Amino acid sequence: MNSILVPTDFSENAFVAAAYACALANASKQKVRLLHVYIALYSGFGEDGNSVKQIKLAETESTTAMKNLLESLTSQFPGIDIEGECVKGFMIDVVTDKLKRNEHSLVVMGTKGATNITESILGSTTFEVIKKSPVPVLVVPIDTPDFSFRRVGFFTAYDDHELDALMALQQAINLKPHLSMLHFYTEDEARPEKELARWQRKVEAAFPHWAVSCKAMLVEKVDINAVTQEAKADGLDLLVFARPHKSFFEKIFRPSLTKAIANYPTVPSLFIRT
């Protein structure tokens, strides 16, 4: 059985992401593995005994918070195999190391959390995980209204590598949603009607059990506003982005835009590295 890795800092947003992961695990028959990474902060000028106390305190607080989170999720999702782990270290290093072991098919993360700085540990780490993760990373906004996976939007450039991304999507969520293939084009480009029809036939042949539709949208600029507007207009439950090398997605995956979508998503968004 596949497992979903859920880094958490025990904030409200991280709880929403964990609950979303459990709902997805319930629908796709997967396990959930919660991960909290903590750092014991202490002064270099203090006594050694104080440093040990700070570390023990961080361990105790993390263990207690994880126990409470597990109890809450287990009561809400009694049929899901959920485990939790607390590890001392740095979030990005621990997550990257765990993903190298090939034990997880998907990472689910929140984007904001409870810290005394503007960005939470999760919020500042999400983009780095997306860049480095060998498995898909799903980012969940705090105001996700429900945990539905019926309508999935996939932004396409009609590139064959996207079939690999769709295969990764199938393996990660193990569901059969309605797949809406979306393509943005601007006024200086021809309307891609023939390409659209050809691509739909190709995707349907590769994934015969999925309901597939294709749509091309004329936009002034390919940016986060265009992405958000289309997601709302189509009532999409999940957005999927492949991370390839060239063409249309060079616009979508400029670092600044990727980071904006990752840190401030309006719809749960899945990033797949190809």
Side-chain angles (χ1 to χ4, degrees), residues 50-242:
N50 288 334
S51 298
V52 172
K53 289 178 182 178
Q54 291 291 338
I55 294 173
K56 290 294 185 183
L57 179 61
E59 289 176 352
T60 300
E61 290 179 343
S62 297
T63 300
T64 300
M66 180 62 76
K67 179 176 179 291
N68 293 337
L69 178 58
L70 283 169
E71 288 177 353
S72 177
L73 292 173
T74 301
S75 64
Q76 189 175 350
F77 301 94
I80 304 302
D81 180 351
I82 309 173
E83 294 181 3
E85 180 183 14
C86 297
V87 179
K88 183 163 68 73
F90 294 95
M91 176 71 80
I92 187 64
D93 294 335
V94 175
V95 170
T96 301
D97 180 64
K98 282 192 170 294
L99 293 178
K100 289 178 181 177
R101 304 175 192 176
N102 298 318
E103 297 174 352
H104 307 288
S105 60
L106 177 68
V107 178
V108 174
M109 300 184 72
T111 58
K112 295 288 179 183
T115 65
N116 58 357
I117 55 177
T118 303
E119 292 283 331
S120 73
I121 294 175
L122 284 180
S124 60
T125 304
T126 301
F127 182 54
E128 291 302 314
V129 174
I130 289 172
K131 289 195 298 183
K132 296 180 180 181
S133 175
V135 303
V137 179
L138 202 163
V139 180
V140 182
I142 192 170
D143 56 351
T144 300
D146 55 34
F147 305 141
S148 177
F149 317 103
R150 291 186 299 271
R151 293 186 58 81
V152 174
F154 185 97
F155 290 87
T156 179
Y158 315 128
D159 194 316
D160 284 347
H161 85 275
E162 293 167 14
L163 296 176
D164 294 332
L166 289 173
M167 181 61 69
L169 168 65
Q170 185 179 53
Q171 293 172 347
I173 68 173
N174 192 31
L175 298 174
K176 298 175 183 176
H178 175 92
L179 181 68
S180 180
M181 304 291 290
L182 306 171
H183 180 81
F184 291 144
Y185 69 101
T186 55
E187 287 186 347
D188 58 345
E189 299 174 284
R191 181 173 175 81
E193 293 180 354
K194 292 183 179 179
E195 280 294 308
L196 203 64
R198 179 194 66 82
W199 187 244
Q200 180 166 345
R201 290 193 298 271
K202 197 163 190 175
V203 173
E204 287 174 338
F207 301 92
H209 301 298
W210 289 4
V212 179
S213 63
C214 289
K215 181 180 179 182
M217 292 79 65
L218 176 64
V219 296
E220 292 184 8
K221 184 170 65 171
V222 178
D223 60 10
I224 191 170
N225 291 326
V227 171
T228 299
Q229 289 174 10
E230 185 54 38
K232 290 182 177 179
D234 271 21
L236 299 176
D237 301 312
L238 176 67
L239 296 179
V240 180
F241 302 88

Side-chain angles (χ1 to χ4, degrees), residues 1-4 29-32 103-105 171-172 174:
M1 182 184 291
N2 292 335
S3 65
I4 301 173
K29 296 180 174 56
Q30 299 189 71
K31 299 179 290 188
V32 172
E103 297 174 352
H104 307 288
S105 60
Q171 293 172 347
N174 192 31

